[in-house]
Amino acid sequence: MIPLATPTTVLADLAPIDLAELTGRAALQTRFDRKYLLPAAEVPGLLAGLDPGTQVLEIDGRRSFRYESVYFDTPDLVSYRLTAHRRRRRFKIRTRTYVDSGLCWLEVKTEGTRGGTVKHRLPYHPGDSGTLSPGRTFVDGILATLGTGGGTGLAFASTLTTRYLRSTLFLPTTASRATIDLGLCWEGGHGARLELPGLAIVETKTGSTASHVDRLLWSHGHRPVAVSKYATGLAALRPELPCARWRRTLRRHFAPGADTEAPQSLPSV
């Protein structure tokens, strides 16, 4: 276990990196993602073990940022089901709003030829975050390359909204990134809502080489898990859906009573 009695000002002690430099040095639009679930109370201990050269994204003096993502799927949830059944040509469609800056993107994520994730992005108006209409041509163009029915009139509607607080780290030795998400919240249709304040999602985004953060987590007994904010969150809110891929994660981290760790927020810097 990562020790809990560690400084809560670790992020404040890291050197900053701005968005332009982070994007230039670790854009990673094609990448390998590893996701880890751990109690939020362990996050300060994780930060204390970082390589001294690690930098933290800072924008206008902030180092933690509010995110809102709206996911889109068909009435029969083709995107969800492709992921649940591990189909190679799966995809994910969402708008992502950076709440603190007011910026918004339309994103289509697909699987690369070697198993990595490829992200396609289009600048989007924040007022359109709940609809695909202004970006439908962009979406259809990406899906057409996958043979998934792009351009054939698939109907998409907003299916799930996620909200959380994210801090982003730059790891210079591997030119990669790691993100730490806290304050996790999912909202589905008909008022369905799930909040897991005691859970953190740590995600590393690398090329072919594992990062220092991966090795740090491994050394403390944490291993990558099968979790998707969209698919796992939707399965938690809709237990009738096929969920074999995430059943262990759902039982351990998303079931009632599983989220028992007291939350400990990142330092406000």
Side-chain angles (χ1 to χ4, degrees), residues 1-260:
M1 296 286 287
I2 297 175
L4 302 179
T6 54
T8 60
T9 58
V10 180
L11 279 183
D13 293 337
L14 295 177
I17 186 171
D18 63 31
L19 184 59
E21 185 178 2
L22 177 66
T23 301
R25 298 178 67 184
L28 295 170
Q29 295 301 92
T30 302
R31 68 198 189 205
F32 291 88
D33 298 341
R34 300 178 184 89
K35 299 178 184 179
Y36 305 83
L37 297 177
L38 58 152
E42 293 190 14
V43 169
L46 171 67
L47 294 174
L50 291 174
D51 186 289
T54 302
Q55 295 175 269
V56 59
L57 175 64
E58 179 177 293
I59 302 174
D60 296 331
R62 299 181 63 93
R63 298 188 173 194
S64 297
F65 307 92
R66 292 174 293 164
Y67 280 52
E68 179 180 285
S69 297
V70 180
Y71 292 87
F72 298 85
D73 213 332
T74 62
D76 59 346
L77 302 178
V78 66
S79 174
Y80 174 88
R81 295 179 190 279
L82 286 170
T83 302
H85 297 298
R86 306 189 186 198
R87 297 294 187 261
R88 184 173 66 85
R89 293 185 177 183
R90 58 187 179 266
F91 64 90
K92 189 179 300 176
I93 304 169
R94 72 186 179 199
T95 59
R96 168 163 286 178
T97 302
Y98 301 87
V99 178
D100 298 298
S101 66
L103 296 176
C104 184
W105 295 82
L106 173 61
E107 300 180 343
V108 182
K109 296 177 73 174
T110 61
E111 295 299 305
T113 56
R114 298 185 179 180
T117 301
V118 182
K119 184 193 293 187
H120 312 267
R121 307 180 86 195
L122 178 73
Y124 221 55
H125 191 284
D128 294 324
S129 64
T131 177
L132 285 185
S133 296
R136 186 56 199 259
T137 300
F138 170 77
V139 170
D140 285 347
I142 300 301
L143 297 188
T145 67
L146 303 177
T148 54
T152 63
L154 287 178
F156 289 103
S158 59
T159 307
L160 186 74
T161 300
T162 64
R163 298 182 179 90
Y164 49 93
L165 187 71
R166 168 169 289 186
S167 294
T168 299
L169 306 176
F170 173 62
L171 315 173
T173 57
T174 50
S176 59
R177 288 182 279 142
T179 59
I180 302 169
D181 297 339
L182 294 170
L184 301 161
C185 175
W186 290 261
E187 291 183 359
H190 308 292
R193 183 181 177 92
L194 174 65
E195 295 186 54
L196 296 176
L199 185 68
I201 297 179
V202 178
E203 183 173 355
T204 62
K205 309 164 194 292
T206 71
S208 58
T209 304
S211 71
H212 168 70
V213 171
D214 290 295
R215 300 186 188 284
L216 178 62
L217 286 159
W218 298 344
S219 71
H220 288 93
H222 294 289
R223 293 295 181 267
V225 298
V227 63
S228 156
K229 285 195 181 73
Y230 174 56
T232 312
L234 193 62
L237 292 176
R238 298 179 56 176
E240 77 278 7
L241 294 175
C243 64
R245 185 176 183 183
W246 308 288
R247 185 169 289 120
R248 178 178 296 182
T249 297
L250 287 165
R251 288 175 176 172
R252 182 173 181 181
H253 298 285
F254 286 72
D259 180 38
T260 57

